[in-house]
Amino acid sequence: MSNSRRLENLPKPVKTMLGIAGVADAVLRAYALVDVARREQSEINGPKEAWVPALALVNSLGLLPVAYLKWGRRR
């Protein structure tokens, strides 16, 4: 059974929520990546070289960008 067939069988509210979650993840990820790029290394907890690929490549359902925004930045 192909993935498209399985998605077709989902109820419309579930499809809507998956779409909203995907958009929210993309927005959080983009915001966090822009924030990392604009900050100096001294303003970030941990190396920038670790945050950038993690934020760009790890599929975390929005948890990694939220973790960066909460704990990865120095105030």
Side-chain angles (χ1 to χ4, degrees):
M1 181 180 285
S2 71
N3 285 337
S4 63
R5 280 240 163 117
R6 284 186 262 174
L7 288 174
E8 289 173 359
N9 294 333
L10 290 175
K12 186 166 175 85
V14 173
K15 289 180 192 178
T16 302
M17 291 304 296
L18 286 173
I20 291 170
V23 169
D25 178 56
V27 169
L28 280 170
R29 188 181 305 257
Y31 180 78
L33 282 167
V34 168
D35 189 77
V36 168
R38 290 184 176 172
R39 289 183 184 266
E40 296 292 326
Q41 175 62 53
S42 62
E43 298 175 350
I44 297 175
N45 291 323
K48 283 176 98 167
E49 297 80 16
W51 279 112
V52 171
L55 288 167
L57 301 174
V58 175
N59 185 4
S60 64
L61 300 174
L63 296 177
L64 190 58
V66 169
Y68 165 75
L69 293 170
K70 177 77 175 159
W71 298 290
R73 302 182 298 174
R74 294 185 182 165
R75 304 269 179 224

